């Protein structure tokens, strides 16, 4: 397989698409290639094309989670989301831009069952085991989005700058439909370059997982109070990172038999998060 | 550790490190169906793929099947220059499958009579009558899940034919078992099979047998005339390399109001899988407490899942979870202290045969200060986090037995080599054997080297399973050391014109009782020049008419977040009675390892299947959740360390398995103490914890109405 190493974003964009796949830290792309879930004719190493580092409220998309978790200028909610994600080895490699684009951990998808996300005609998890799956947005696909970081960034009201546009983070995502399995709106030849992350007055990230470390969220709850207004972002509860506009949104959850237990966890963590940012 | 430098420097050679000149790599085609027939299989396209040398199918190797009964069953294999080429060629094997309807429900298998074996019934006394006469009866249904061994080194073998002799480098718990099984299967003389296992990266019971990877490597090596390695990938390891089978346990206890247990009954369904044996899930109920009326039946359900294999105290881990949770529910019903309940029903002598030694009462006594901590612990509870403590007892085998042999060789430099064709499965065996020889011979530990791991270079040695390595091998090594010592003293007596009975060896010197002689060992054996002293030792018999068992108790402290179902194990005190302890550091390490592995079994590990197809969903280690170091509690290890005076010349029992036996029940009982919720199912995921809390709430609401 060919590896290209462009030195600018413009050059990278020119190379992307048509089976050419962007590679940053490799913690997502390499396992997907190995498992045959992603096919690539060439890998485009974007590490010289995408900004890396923290400048005030601007974060380069190539910044690693390890760099973010130790930076005192980064809001608590984001630092915690980074710290509680993956393992130190993975955080030392994984970039924040790549983290936002990671695929679901749904075991059916990972085992290449012909589900909606693979262009098939059903969600195997709904009829089968869906212990780790969605309680929101699961009309079509019941997968859960695994990114802790995305939930934190949603709560912070993050704006993204890509090679093509500027957009609120929420608009990066779309729920998959029966005729379109995409979960993001990013084009094949579009790169996330920078994140603009407002500094909140108070913020917190709470995460329920199966063990104390190195586990994807059962439910992750991010809360941030910015200009007196509290925003909530949730991880592990829907096919995409999920925004709660109010606590009442929890009443509109659509849990499956095997995911019903996630709802009380979400309620408890949301209540705790709201208490934490009310005073913090 | 005697072999720490080798391990730290990377010089310890595991099977995974074996690279022989011209070696090929094998890959296995595994069934994508939980149940199917292979109607047609054609390897011709695969044989033409780059780097491929040979292919074998169900007709060539008995361990390959044309009627796979579980997802991942081995069907065919390819040998190629590289493992990547072999795997790529698997895609080119043309198979016509006829998928069949899989049966995955163990209860349904029992209903249909689809069993691996006759149901095992054990009965004494009159259970029904005792139950009818009981003041209180508690019943419960308990479930345990399938968990996977996940040794660090996956199952693998390298096979090479030298003329009519087959060399097998393999990751195994039983060198001699591999030798005889492979010889029988291939129709060659056992002496023409050499098995080598210098270092191995863990087995936990899953590496007692040759496995398909060995047979496949042997056949591919025969066909190609080249050495062949067949190593399972981590995913294959999680599919088809063995597991602890799931169980369903329907249990009953009857007792008098003073807490005396009068009746115990259990129906156990072991979800054995497509093949395997019925582990003694009823063992703890039959043996842990004094009870005259016990009735158990154990079914081996044959279902379309991967075969079970022995896994660190098979049956007893599962059965102890059920029984010891039931006991605590009885204690709660009678409002008696759980520790007192266990003392009250202490089995002083076995129902069949006396124990060679039993210090469980002493374990209980030493548990008291740990158990007392629960009062202070509970006061830490607030509206969210609830704290509590629980305990559970342990009974298991671990006596080892004959035959096993060892040799000692004392060179003219006064250095000692222990030689025996046993295996060290990562439990510190080299160190323990060196300690035993050094102590018996009266020399410093660093004078002793242990050579093991090769059936062609040492005498027969026992399996490393059933916590038997130290109690089986240690006595043979001690006897071999004593034999060498006797010869050395004989020489010294002749040389110095002293009686043998006044001589001894101490700290590397031959000394006389009056202190007049203190001669370095090498001066005495140096007289032999190039000749050497050879000692021989055999493992003596176990005491006639006695049961050799291990005992213990563990006290767990937990915190439970009652809103989110999070369970944290804070502290575990483990008190075990395993006879004489050889290496205290190695022993506490076994205890810690058992408890950590048991915490995985209790809280986070489970192999999940797609209910429609039987596909294993948890094939990778991000889906199958082993505990990490962050999940490890404070572990306090106390060993009674009292030699079993009836047990051979060593008095040591095994410790590999006992620590994992009671941990699940101790944690579940601690959860009840903290929250009032009864745990009936493993693992205790958030879902299970929240369900149990909700059930407890309903029960509490319902209770006044029922009075």
């Amino acid at each position: 397989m060919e590896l290209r190493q462009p030195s600018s974003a413009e050059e990278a964009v020119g190379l992307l698409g048509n089976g050419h796949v962007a590679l940053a830290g490799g913690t997502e792309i390499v396992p997907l290639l190995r498992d045959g879930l992603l096919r690539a004719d060439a890998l485009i190493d974007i590490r010289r094309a995408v900004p890396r580092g923290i400048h005030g409220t601007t974060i380069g998309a190539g910044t690693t989670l390890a760099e973010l978790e130790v930076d005192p200028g980064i809001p608590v909610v984001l630092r915690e989301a980074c710290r509680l994600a993956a393992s130190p080895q993975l955080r030392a490699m994984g970039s924040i831009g790549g983290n936002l684009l990671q695929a679901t951990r749904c075991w059916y998808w990972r085992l290449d069952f012909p589900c909606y996300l693979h262009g098939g005609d059903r969600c195997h998890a709904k009829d089968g085991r869906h212990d780790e799956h969605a309680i929101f947005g699961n009309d079509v696909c019941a997968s859960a989005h695994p990114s802790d970081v995305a939930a934190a960034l949603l709560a912070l009201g993050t704006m993204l700058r890509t090679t093509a546009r500027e957009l609120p983070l929420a608009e990066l995502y779309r729920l998959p439909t029966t005729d379109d399995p995409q979960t993001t709106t990013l084009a094949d030849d579009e790169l996330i370059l920078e994140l603009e992350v407002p500094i909140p007055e108070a913020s917190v990230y709470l995460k329920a997982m199966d063990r104390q470390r190195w586990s994807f969220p059962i439910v992750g709850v991010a809360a941030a109070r910015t200009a007196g207004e509290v925003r909530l972002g949730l991880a592990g509860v829907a096919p995409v990172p999920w925004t709660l506009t109010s606590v009442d949104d929890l009443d509109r959850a659509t849990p499956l038999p095997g995911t019903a237990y996630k709802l009380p966890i979400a309620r408890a963590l949301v209540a705790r998060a709201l208490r934490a940012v009310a005073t913090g | 550790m005697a072999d720490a430098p080798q391990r730290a420097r990377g010089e310890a050679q595991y099977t995974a490190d074996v690279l022989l000149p011209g070696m090929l790599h094998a890959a296995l085609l595994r069934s994508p169906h939980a149940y199917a027939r292979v109607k047609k299989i054609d390897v011709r396209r695969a044989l033409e793929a780059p780097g491929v040398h040979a292919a074998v199918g169900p007709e060539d190797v008995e361990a390959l099947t044309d009627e796979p009964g579980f997802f991942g069953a081995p069907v065919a294999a390819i040998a190629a220059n590289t493992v990547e080429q072999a795997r790529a060629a698997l895609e080119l094997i043309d198979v016509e499958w006829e998928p069949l309807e899989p049966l995955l429900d163990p209860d349904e298998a029992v209903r249909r009579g689809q069993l691996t074996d006759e149901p095992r019934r054990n009965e004494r006394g009159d259970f029904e009558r005792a139950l009818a006469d009981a003041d209180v009866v508690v019943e419960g249904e308990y479930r345990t899940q399938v968990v996977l061994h996940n040794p660090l080194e996956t199952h693998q073998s390298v096979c090479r034919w030298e003329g009519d002799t087959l060399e097998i480098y393999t990751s195994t718990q039983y060198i001699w078992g591999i030798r005889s099984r492979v010889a029988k299967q291939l129709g060659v003389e056992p002496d023409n099979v050499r098995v080598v296992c210098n270092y191995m990266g863990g087995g936990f019971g899953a590496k007692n047998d040759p496995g398909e990877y060995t047979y496949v490597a042997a056949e591919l090596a025969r066909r190609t005339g080249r050495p062949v390695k067949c190593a399972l990938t981590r995913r294959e390891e999680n599919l088809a390399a063995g597991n602890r089978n799931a169980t369903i346990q329907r249990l009953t206890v009857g007792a008098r109001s003073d807490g005396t247990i009068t009746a115990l009954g259990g129906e156990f369904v072991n979800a054995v899988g497509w093949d395997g044996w019925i582990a003694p899930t009823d063992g703890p109920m039959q043996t842990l407490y004094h009870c005259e009326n016990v009735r158990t039946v154990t079914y081996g359900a044959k279902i379309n899942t991967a075969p079970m294999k022995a896994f660190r105290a098979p049956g007893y881990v599962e059965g102890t979870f059920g029984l010891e949770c039931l006991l605590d529910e009885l204690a709660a019903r009678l409002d008696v202290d759980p520790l007192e309940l266990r003392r009250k029903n202490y089995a002083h002598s076995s129902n069949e045969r006396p124990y060679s030694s039993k210090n469980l009462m002493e374990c209980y006594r030493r548990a008291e200060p740990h158990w007392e901590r629960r009062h202070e612990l509970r006061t830490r509870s607030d509206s969210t986090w609830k704290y509590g403590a629980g305990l559970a007892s342990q009974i298991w085998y671990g006596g080892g037995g004959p035959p096993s042999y060892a040799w000692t060789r004392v060179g003219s430099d006064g250095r000692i080599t222990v030689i025996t064709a046993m295996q060290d499965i990562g439990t510190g065996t080299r160190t323990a054997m060196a300690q035993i020889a050094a102590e018996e011979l009266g020399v410093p530990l660093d004078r002793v080297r242990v050579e093991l791991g090769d059936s062609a270079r040492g005498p027969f040695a026992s399996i490393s399973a059933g916590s038997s390595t130290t109690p089986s091998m240690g006595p043979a090594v001690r006897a071999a050391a004593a034999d060498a010592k006797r010869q050395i003293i004989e020489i010294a007596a002749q040389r110095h014109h002293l009686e043998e009975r006044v001589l001894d060896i101490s700290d590397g010197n031959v000394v006389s009782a009056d202190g007049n002689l203190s001669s370095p060992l090498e001066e005495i054996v140096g007289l032999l020049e190039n000749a050497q002293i050879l000692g021989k030792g055999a493992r003596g018999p176990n005491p006639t008419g006695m049961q050799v068992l291990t005992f213990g108790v563990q006290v767990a402290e937990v915190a439970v977040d009652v809103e989110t179902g999070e369970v944290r194990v804070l502290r575990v005190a483990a008190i075990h009675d395993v006879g004489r302890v050889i290496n205290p550091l190695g022993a506490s390490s076994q205890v810690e390892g058992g408890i950590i592995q048991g915490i995985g079994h209790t809280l986070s590990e489970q192999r999940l299947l797609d209910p429609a197809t039987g596909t294993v969903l948890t094939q990778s280690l991000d889906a199958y959740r082993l505990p990490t170091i962050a999940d490890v509690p404070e572990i306090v290890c106390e060993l009674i360390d009292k030699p079993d005076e009836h047990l051979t010349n060593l008095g040591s029992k095994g410790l590999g398995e006992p620590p994992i036996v009671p941990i699940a029940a101790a944690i579940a009982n601690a959860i009840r103490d903290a929250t009032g919720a009864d745990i009936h199912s493993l693992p205790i995921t958030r879902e299970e914890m929240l369900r149990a809390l909700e059930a407890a709430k309903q029960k509490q609401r319902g209770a006044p109405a029922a009075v």
Side-chain angles (χ1 to χ4, degrees):
Chain A
M1 191 183 297
E2 195 187 353
L3 179 71
R4 305 286 291 274
Q5 300 187 288
S7 53
S8 73
E10 294 72 30
E11 197 188 335
V13 166
L15 292 169
L16 286 170
N18 293 322
H20 293 197
V21 172
L23 176 79
T27 58
E28 172 77 357
I29 295 298
V30 172
L32 290 180
L33 287 170
R34 188 195 57 205
D35 293 344
L37 293 167
L38 179 69
R39 278 154 201 89
D41 299 323
L43 292 176
I44 312 302
D45 179 353
I46 57 168
R47 282 178 295 183
R48 286 192 294 162
V50 166
R52 174 171 176 174
I54 303 153
H55 301 284
T57 56
T58 305
I59 297 172
T63 311
T64 65
L65 302 197
E67 289 162 347
L68 291 162
E69 77 181 273
V70 296
D71 191 304
I74 295 296
V76 171
V77 62
L78 182 53
R79 285 167 59 192
E80 274 295 287
C82 290
R83 188 180 72 84
L84 294 174
S87 65
Q89 293 91 331
L90 291 166
R91 300 200 296 272
M93 292 301 293
S95 66
I96 187 167
N99 184 285
L100 297 180
L101 301 173
Q102 65 187 299
T104 179
R105 310 308 300 187
C106 171
W107 32 53
Y108 291 98
W109 187 82
R110 293 263 157 188
L111 294 174
D112 217 4
F113 274 67
C115 69
Y116 286 126
L117 292 190
H118 282 307
D121 62 357
R122 54 185 276 224
C123 171
H124 294 263
K126 278 192 184 177
D127 301 330
R129 295 291 307 226
H130 48 256
D131 314 41
E132 306 183 344
H133 289 65
I135 56 174
F136 288 106
N138 49 9
D139 268 3
V140 173
C141 161
S143 72
H145 197 276
S147 174
D148 299 299
V149 168
L153 293 172
L154 277 181
L156 289 165
T158 301
M159 290 292 292
L160 301 183
R161 186 170 71 80
T162 77
T163 48
R165 55 191 167 140
E166 287 188 25
L167 68 161
L169 175 62
E171 290 179 16
L172 178 65
Y173 297 106
R174 68 180 292 279
L175 281 172
T177 50
T178 51
D179 53 357
D180 183 353
Q182 295 304 315
T183 54
T184 78
T185 60
L186 203 70
D188 283 351
D189 61 351
E190 186 181 7
L191 286 172
I192 301 173
L193 295 176
E194 286 180 331
L195 298 79
E196 185 60 31
V197 181
I199 301 295
E201 291 125 28
S203 70
V204 69
Y205 186 67
L206 303 173
K207 181 177 180 180
M209 45 185 157
D210 275 339
R211 56 187 171 197
Q212 296 296 321
R213 285 291 182 282
W214 190 40
S215 202
F216 292 99
I218 294 171
V219 177
V221 174
R225 175 161 52 86
T226 311
E229 187 193 339
V230 175
R231 259 193 300 263
L232 289 162
L234 269 59
V237 298
V240 296
W242 202 250
T243 305
L244 285 191
T245 49
S246 76
V247 182
D248 297 339
D249 277 359
L250 290 168
D251 296 334
R252 286 183 281 279
T254 52
L256 302 165
T259 61
Y261 75 99
K262 284 192 173 189
L263 196 53
I265 298 174
R267 283 189 195 285
L269 295 186
V270 164
R272 287 177 198 182
L274 290 176
R275 282 201 298 274
V277 297
T279 55
Chain B
M1 266 174 78
D3 51 5
Q6 287 79 2
R7 290 177 191 271
R9 289 198 296 252
E11 294 165 1
Q13 197 186 49
Y14 294 79
T15 304
D17 299 318
V18 172
L19 282 171
L20 300 178
M23 189 174 84
L24 303 176
H25 296 266
L28 288 156
L29 177 72
R30 294 182 176 278
S31 171
H33 304 286
Y35 193 20
R37 262 185 221 112
V38 176
K39 294 180 74 177
K40 216 156 49 180
I41 182 163
D42 187 344
V43 297
R44 279 175 299 182
R45 285 202 305 139
L47 281 170
E48 277 161 25
V52 170
H53 288 254
V56 288
E59 290 178 2
D60 308 309
V61 178
E62 199 175 305
L64 302 174
T65 179
D66 56 8
E67 193 178 325
F70 58 96
F71 182 86
V75 172
I78 300 273
N81 289 331
T82 68
V83 71
E84 290 76 17
Q85 288 172 332
R87 282 185 201 140
L90 291 180
E91 308 274 329
L92 301 173
I93 299 178
D94 297 303
V95 188
E96 196 182 321
W97 305 98
E98 181 194 349
L100 303 170
E101 185 66 28
L103 175 61
L104 302 172
D105 178 354
D107 270 341
E108 178 61 24
V110 172
R111 272 193 292 275
R112 292 189 198 172
Q114 187 169 318
L115 305 174
T116 57
D117 211 337
E118 286 296 304
R120 187 188 298 149
R121 297 175 196 280
N122 277 313
E123 186 161 6
R124 63 171 181 264
D126 188 339
F127 169 74
E128 290 294 349
R129 180 161 174 191
L131 201 64
D133 292 346
D135 296 330
V136 56
V137 173
V138 179
E139 293 174 308
E141 181 178 304
Y142 300 86
R143 285 171 184 260
T144 63
Q145 81 283 33
V146 171
V147 288
L148 306 170
H149 302 71
N150 265 309
L152 202 52
E153 182 183 42
T154 62
H155 288 64
Q156 50 196 295
S157 291
V158 180
C159 289
R160 171 164 70 182
W161 288 90
E162 295 279 344
D164 57 359
T165 296
L166 174 62
E167 285 179 7
I168 305 174
Y169 298 83
T170 186
S171 184
T172 185
Q173 297 177 231
Y174 193 20
I175 284 174
W176 293 86
I178 303 302
R179 181 178 176 269
S180 60
R181 292 275 302 274
V182 171
K184 192 173 173 197
Q185 182 73 34
L186 302 188
V188 299
E189 291 300 319
D191 278 348
N192 285 356
V193 179
R194 177 187 171 197
V195 181
V196 179
C197 177
N198 272 312
Y199 286 86
M200 70 91 91
F204 307 112
K207 292 182 181 168
N208 297 337
D209 305 316
E212 79 280 10
Y213 49 95
T214 306
Y215 294 121
V216 159
E219 178 60 19
L220 289 168
R222 197 184 62 75
R223 289 185 177 211
T224 58
R226 307 258 296 257
V228 174
K229 172 180 272 192
C230 186
L232 300 199
T233 64
R234 180 57 59 186
R235 292 199 178 192
E236 289 179 290
E237 193 71 24
N238 283 1
L239 288 184
N243 59 71
R244 186 189 294 287
N245 58 246
T247 69
I248 303 165
Q249 310 174 30
R250 300 180 175 98
L251 311 183
T252 306
V253 58
R256 288 203 283 270
S257 49
D258 69 352
T260 305
I261 295 172
T262 53
L264 283 168
E267 181 196 277
F268 301 89
V269 177
N270 287 12
V272 170
W274 192 238
D275 195 7
W277 44 280
I278 301 177
T281 316
D282 61 337
M285 179 170 272
Q286 287 287 346
T287 60
L288 186 49
Y289 295 108
H290 177 84
C291 179
E292 282 164 12
N293 308 291
V294 183
R295 187 174 76 189
T296 62
V297 56
T298 313
Y299 298 97
K302 182 171 179 171
I303 53 177
N304 292 105
T305 59
M308 61 75 75
K309 285 189 185 167
F311 188 165
R312 212 170 187 172
Y316 277 58
V317 164
E318 303 86 323
T320 299
F321 168 68
L323 177 69
E324 288 293 82
C325 287
L326 183 74
L327 259 280
D328 262 39
E329 287 175 45
L330 175 65
R333 182 79 68 85
L334 293 170
D335 197 23
V336 301
D337 180 279
L339 182 56
E340 281 316 305
L341 183 69
R342 285 164 175 85
R343 280 186 168 128
K344 188 165 189 68
N345 293 285
Y346 194 82
H348 286 281
S349 66
S350 151
N351 292 298
E352 305 156 29
R353 292 173 290 158
Y355 306 113
S356 60
S357 71
K358 178 176 182 178
N359 298 295
L360 181 56
M361 202 56 104
E362 173 65 7
C363 294
Y364 288 148
R365 193 189 66 74
R366 300 223 346 218
E368 276 171 19
H370 304 291
W371 185 230
E372 278 305 303
R373 289 165 52 94
R374 72 193 186 285
H375 302 297
E376 184 279 330
L377 185 67
R378 288 175 188 152
T379 64
R380 287 189 233 166
S381 297
D382 58 30
S383 62
T384 308
W385 283 96
K386 306 292 181 191
Y387 291 78
L391 61 81
S393 306
Q394 171 256 317
I395 188 167
W396 174 247
Y397 306 98
S404 282
Y405 304 93
W407 300 331
T408 49
R409 185 176 67 203
V410 186
S412 54
D413 56 358
R415 298 193 154 271
I416 289 101
T417 307
V418 175
I419 304 156
T420 176
M422 67 186 298
Q423 53 287 316
D424 181 345
I425 61 170
T427 49
T429 294
R430 275 185 178 81
T431 307
M433 296 305 128
Q435 284 180 288
I436 291 166
E439 183 180 287
E440 185 64 26
L441 270 158
V443 299
L445 184 60
D446 62 10
R447 293 264 199 107
V448 181
R449 205 167 53 130
V450 178
E451 293 213 338
L452 49 75
D454 188 339
S455 69
R457 295 185 183 166
F460 174 86
S462 81
I463 189 171
S464 291
S467 300
S468 68
T469 309
T470 298
S472 290
M473 296 308 305
V477 169
R478 190 173 191 187
D483 188 31
K485 180 180 176 182
R486 183 186 53 72
Q487 296 175 54
I488 293 165
I489 288 187
E490 204 176 288
I491 295 167
Q494 286 171 17
R495 168 75 175 167
H496 294 285
H497 308 292
L498 293 166
E499 284 183 67
E500 288 172 24
R501 62 176 179 81
V502 304
L503 294 175
D504 198 3
I505 309 175
S506 171
D507 201 22
N509 296 305
V510 177
V511 295
S512 62
D514 59 12
N516 288 335
L517 175 68
S518 178
S519 175
L521 179 61
E522 52 271 31
E523 283 187 14
I524 302 294
V525 293
L527 298 169
L528 298 169
E529 298 189 348
N530 281 335
Q532 296 166 332
I533 285 173
L534 294 176
K536 288 191 300 180
R539 207 284 193 182
N542 280 351
T544 310
M546 287 183 160
Q547 298 195 84
V548 187
L549 300 170
T550 57
F551 303 93
V553 61
Q554 290 180 1
V555 182
E557 299 178 9
V558 305
V560 182
D561 180 339
V562 292
E563 291 173 0
T564 68
E566 181 179 355
V567 176
R568 288 188 192 170
V569 182
L570 306 173
R571 183 180 192 271
V572 177
I575 302 122
H576 293 275
D577 167 31
V578 294
R580 183 201 304 273
V581 174
I582 306 294
N583 179 355
L585 189 60
S588 64
S589 173
Q590 283 298 308
V591 171
E592 288 163 9
I595 287 170
I596 295 165
Q597 195 168 42
I599 285 174
H601 180 218
T602 309
L603 296 182
S604 61
E605 293 181 41
Q606 58 180 333
R607 187 209 63 189
L608 295 178
L609 301 178
D610 175 49
T613 62
T615 304
V616 176
L617 299 174
T618 48
Q619 295 182 28
S620 64
L621 289 184
D622 72 77
Y624 183 87
R625 305 217 167 97
L626 296 160
T628 75
I629 197 69
D631 299 287
V632 176
E634 178 189 356
I635 297 173
V636 180
C637 168
E638 293 185 28
L639 299 170
I640 302 299
D641 197 6
K642 197 169 161 193
D644 181 337
E645 59 180 19
H646 292 111
L647 187 60
T648 70
N649 56 348
L650 194 65
S652 280
K653 301 174 187 176
L655 180 59
E657 288 156 309
I660 200 175
V661 171
I663 184 66
I667 291 171
N669 288 338
I671 289 171
R672 179 182 306 95
D673 186 53
T675 66
D678 294 332
I679 296 295
H680 280 212
S681 186
L682 297 180
I684 311 167
T685 57
R686 304 275 184 141
E687 184 176 17
E688 171 61 15
M689 190 63 243
L690 290 170
R691 187 208 58 74
L693 286 163
E694 187 57 34
K697 219 184 277 177
Q698 300 293 343
K699 199 164 118 185
Q700 213 173 21
R701 274 189 210 128
V707 167

